[in-house]
């Protein structure tokens, strides 16, 4: 343990891109807050501490802090090295690369992370990716390319993940809905089944109806 902290840890930290810690903090906060807002919009006026699903918000925060935030920031560092500069052609190339990243890695990693944090299996995560990747990516194409154009043009590399986290508050509300939609539908289905059972138990029998 002593060797790790004195020798290995400093070596590892040298390869961690600058600004990763800030990206983790801001992206995690953005995703956690986005989920709270998402729940509030879904519940309406009755939303409060007694209704709030804290575990769901915690899972979104964990995903943003320890998965989406650091991975996304490292990707931005790699992308800047691949396509340096902020001229029009470079910005267009970076925006295209971001879209490819989101399709093949960003969104699948996010959906799999949330699925596993919710206590489900890898197979469930793969099913989630197959069912929601296209619709989520399509929705993102109407939002993120315009954000990317501004971020790549005016924001320095170390602050891009933070800028994206602020721009992503609205997007994270949608992401939270997409990521947790199956659970909400399952709860709704169980509620409907319970209502049907109550109706069936209290409904008059054929003899009673004839009377």
């Amino acid at each position: 343990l002593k060797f790790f902290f004195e020798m290995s840890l400093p070596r590892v930290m040298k390869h961690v891109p600058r600004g990763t810690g800030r990206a983790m903090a801001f992206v995690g906060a953005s995703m956690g807050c986005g989920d709270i807002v998402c729940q509030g919009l879904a519940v309406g006026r009755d939303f409060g501490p007694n209704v709030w699903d804290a575990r769901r918000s915690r899972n979104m925060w964990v995903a943003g802090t320890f998965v989406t935030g650091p991975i996304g920031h490292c990707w931005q560092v790699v992308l800047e090295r691949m396509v340096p500069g902020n001229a029009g052609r470079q910005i267009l190339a970076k925006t295209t690369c971001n879209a490819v990243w989101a399709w093949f890695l960003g969104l699948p990693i996010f959906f799999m992370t949330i699925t596993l944090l919710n206590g489900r299996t890898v197979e469930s995560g793969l099913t989630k990716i197959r069912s929601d990747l296209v619709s989520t990516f399509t929705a993102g194409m109407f939002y993120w390319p315009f954000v990317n154009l501004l971020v790549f043009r005016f924001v320095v590399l170390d602050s891009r993940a933070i800028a994206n986290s602020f721009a992503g508050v609205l997007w994270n509300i949608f992401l939270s809905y997409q990521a947790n939609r199956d659970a909400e539908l399952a709860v709704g289905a169980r509620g409907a089944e319970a209502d049907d059972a109550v109706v069936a138990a209290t409904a008059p029998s054929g003899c009673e109806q004839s009377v």
Side-chain angles (χ1 to χ4, degrees):
L1 186 64
K2 182 179 179 181
F3 173 80
F4 172 76
F5 281 104
E6 291 182 355
M7 301 296 296
S8 300
L9 185 59
R11 292 181 180 179
V12 171
M13 293 305 295
K14 286 181 180 179
H15 296 283
V16 175
R18 187 176 60 180
T20 301
R22 288 185 300 167
M24 293 171 65
F26 278 92
V27 174
S30 174
M31 295 186 69
C33 292
D35 178 73
I36 295 174
V37 174
C38 180
Q39 292 188 47
L41 292 174
V43 175
R45 295 182 179 180
D46 295 331
F47 182 72
N50 295 330
V51 181
W52 172 43
D53 186 350
R55 180 176 180 271
R56 171 177 147 175
S57 298
R58 183 202 65 194
N59 288 345
M60 290 292 290
W61 172 81
V62 169
T65 301
F66 299 105
V67 180
T68 305
I71 291 178
H73 178 68
C74 291
W75 160 246
Q76 292 300 318
V77 173
V78 171
L79 181 60
E80 185 63 31
R81 292 176 180 176
M82 291 171 51
V83 189
N86 61 350
R89 182 176 298 178
Q90 285 85 358
I91 291 175
L92 182 60
K94 291 176 184 177
T95 301
T96 303
C97 289
N98 259 359
V100 174
W101 162 269
W103 175 263
F104 287 103
L105 288 173
L107 289 174
I109 289 173
F110 169 75
F111 282 134
M112 181 61 72
T113 300
I114 292 297
T115 300
L116 295 178
L117 287 173
N118 285 336
R120 304 177 71 181
T121 63
V122 172
E123 183 60 34
S124 297
L126 295 175
T127 301
K128 181 69 176 176
I129 293 169
R130 287 192 292 267
S131 64
D132 288 348
L133 178 60
V134 174
S135 60
T136 306
F137 179 82
T138 302
M141 290 302 293
F142 289 96
Y143 181 70
W144 279 111
F146 304 101
V147 174
N148 287 334
L149 291 174
L150 296 175
V151 170
F152 286 134
R153 180 65 180 87
F154 298 107
V155 181
V156 297
L157 176 61
D158 290 347
S159 300
R160 283 177 186 167
I162 298 174
N164 284 331
S165 70
F166 282 108
V169 171
L170 294 176
W171 174 249
N172 287 329
I173 295 172
F174 175 72
L175 266 188
S176 175
Y177 167 76
Q178 287 288 83
N180 296 282
R181 184 177 59 176
D182 291 345
E184 292 178 350
L185 291 175
V187 171
R190 287 195 297 269
E193 290 174 357
D195 292 342
D196 291 342
V198 171
V199 171
T202 58
S205 66
C207 295
E208 291 169 336
Q209 288 176 352
S210 63
V211 174

